[in-house]
Amino acid sequence: MDHLRVFHDVARALTSSLELEEILGAIMNKMAQFFGPERWSLLMVDDKSGELYYAIAVGENAESLKGLRVPLGEGVAGWVAATGNPLVVPDVALDPHWSAFANKHPDLKIQSIACVPVRSGNKTLGVIQLLNSKLDLLSEHSISFLRILCDYAAIAIQNARSMTLIQELTITDDVTGLFNARHLYTMLEEEVARGQVFSLMFVDLDHFKSVNDTHGHLIGSRLLAEIGGLMRRSLGPNNAAFRYGGDEFVALLPGMGKAAASGTTMALCEDLRGARFLEGAGLSLSLSGSFGLATYPEDGNTVQTILRAADTMMYEAKVTRDNVAVAGKGMMGRGEATRSIDGSRRAVSEMFLERDSVPRN
């Protein structure tokens, strides 16, 4: 009857919340109530590093475990994660291998171990580890019950990952991998609500239609994907890039005033001019763009007005193409952009020359 009550409570947690931490906490609490361990934890597998990390830890020294990483194959949890097999040792004193492990780690004060993998299909997602549980409850029947609870945990983890993937798909452009226009509006609303300075850059690719007409839409899509990659590299991780539609792109530059944003825009303009695209397809295409830049709040203090200001500047640049137009400053021009970038490089060179001219003792 106790088992049925636990299953009911866990199933209700799975269906009443989409928050992974909340669901796993409910599962682990029910598990702890049933088995009464002195210490218990849920460790998750970090696929990138191949290590376990403590997602939940309760009991003595729990705080010290938060940043701890356990390599697969090491210790109790690492062995279970690496093999995918459960480990149940009612009394470590009667097991030579784990008795030796317990003696090497007296700080853990291990008397009994119950460690079960959390698996989905053939993949181990994590492990649940109970130390010093009630020994009379570590029967085969109880361990089967523990494994069923682990299956519930696996469902919760997979559901959370699916929700994360769905969320990513709803904000991502499937051709370029950049954010989509819907997410641009969301982020702009957040930036305006924050009230801090930011700049908005619009980019329209010059003569992109001729690429589609000459080489077909498949090549055009591959070109857009490479443009997206160039924007990510050029803008860096602190700025967000979006595909606005067709061959139009947008960059959100948080915390950047007009001077810094102008430099970033001209640098991206030069990177685009200097790049060669679709070399893997044997084409080696060159490309340029028309850039428009506006800064919040001086050029627009709402989402719509800042969008309109940057878009208007982009259309001004399209008159001549291969150009940069900045709200309040006008056309920067290719020569202006080159002089600005060369000036920045010259300033850096002069700084090093000045440093090298300082007498050394």
Side-chain angles (χ1 to χ4, degrees):
M1 199 67 179
D2 287 341
H3 293 70
L4 290 175
R5 188 177 299 111
V6 171
F7 289 149
H8 173 73
D9 290 344
V10 169
R12 185 166 58 187
L14 279 171
T15 55
S16 64
S17 174
L18 294 175
E19 294 296 327
L20 179 60
E21 188 173 345
E22 184 179 333
I23 297 171
L24 292 178
I27 294 172
M28 294 295 290
N29 280 324
K30 292 298 177 184
M31 193 178 297
Q33 289 171 18
F34 188 83
F35 289 97
E38 289 180 5
R39 299 189 302 281
W40 52 269
S41 54
L42 169 66
L43 295 90
M44 300 279 288
V45 176
D46 183 337
D47 291 326
K48 291 182 180 178
S49 67
E51 297 175 314
L52 291 165
Y53 64 92
Y54 283 83
I56 302 174
V58 176
E60 188 180 349
N61 300 324
E63 284 297 316
S64 65
L65 298 175
K66 285 187 177 177
L68 186 64
R69 294 261 169 165
V70 179
L72 295 184
E74 290 190 12
V76 178
W79 184 86
V80 170
T83 63
N85 297 318
L87 175 69
V88 180
V89 185
D91 187 349
V92 294
L94 302 179
D95 186 297
H97 177 78
W98 294 108
S99 174
F101 177 81
N103 290 334
K104 286 181 181 177
H105 300 85
D107 54 311
L108 297 178
K109 302 174 185 175
I110 299 176
Q111 298 157 15
S112 69
I113 301 168
C115 193
V116 182
V118 176
R119 292 175 64 81
S120 177
N122 295 321
K123 184 177 182 180
T124 298
L125 305 176
V127 299
I128 289 175
Q129 180 175 270
L130 312 177
L131 297 181
N132 303 342
S133 294
K134 297 172 184 176
L135 298 183
D136 58 336
L137 288 178
L138 292 179
S139 63
E140 185 60 37
H141 177 69
S142 294
I143 297 307
S144 296
F145 171 58
L146 179 60
R147 297 192 73 168
I148 292 172
L149 289 177
C150 286
D151 289 340
Y152 276 125
I155 293 170
I157 293 167
Q158 289 293 72
N159 284 348
R161 290 181 175 178
S162 296
M163 288 301 298
T164 300
L165 178 59
I166 291 169
Q167 173 66 14
E168 289 176 353
L169 290 174
T170 62
I171 65 174
T172 304
D173 173 63
D174 58 355
V175 174
T176 63
L178 301 179
F179 292 128
N180 59 26
R182 185 188 303 111
H183 193 52
L184 169 63
Y185 284 94
T186 300
M187 290 190 70
L188 278 176
E189 287 170 359
E190 292 172 354
E191 288 295 324
V192 168
R194 194 174 290 121
Q196 302 296 315
V197 66
F198 68 85
S199 291
L200 194 64
M201 177 203 308
F202 267 62
V203 186
D204 183 87
L205 300 180
D206 296 333
H207 309 296
F208 178 77
K209 185 177 181 298
S210 65
V211 175
N212 275 340
D213 292 343
T214 304
H215 302 287
H217 288 279
L218 181 60
I219 288 294
S221 293
R222 289 178 61 180
L223 176 57
L224 290 173
E226 290 192 15
I227 297 291
L230 180 140
M231 288 190 68
R232 276 193 297 267
R233 292 190 301 274
S234 183
L235 294 171
N238 296 324
N239 303 304
F242 309 78
R243 184 186 179 199
Y244 196 56
D247 60 348
E248 287 188 16
F249 296 82
V250 175
L252 177 60
L253 312 174
M256 278 200 197
K258 188 152 294 179
S262 296
T264 298
T265 302
M266 291 189 290
L268 175 59
C269 181
E270 287 298 309
D271 287 343
L272 180 62
R273 288 166 178 156
R276 290 295 177 270
F277 299 98
L278 295 170
E279 291 186 322
L283 294 177
S284 190
L285 301 180
S286 61
L287 206 63
S288 63
S290 302
F291 293 73
L293 183 70
T295 300
Y296 173 92
E298 61 185 281
D299 302 319
N301 59 3
T302 67
V303 170
Q304 292 303 325
T305 55
I306 192 66
L307 278 167
R308 191 180 306 117
D311 191 42
T312 299
M313 289 298 100
M314 181 192 73
Y315 274 92
E316 284 196 18
K318 285 179 69 172
V319 172
T320 58
R321 296 187 183 273
D322 192 16
N323 216 328
V324 176
V326 179
K329 296 177 70 174
M331 303 290 282
M332 302 298 294
R334 177 164 185 169
E336 191 68 34
T338 304
R339 281 195 297 275
S340 175
I341 293 169
D342 288 344
S344 297
R345 290 171 179 156
R346 187 164 54 252
V348 172
S349 299
E350 288 171 354
M351 179 182 71
F352 279 99
L353 286 170
E354 183 178 290
R355 184 195 65 181
D356 291 340
S357 67
V358 174
R360 291 176 173 80
N361 294 327

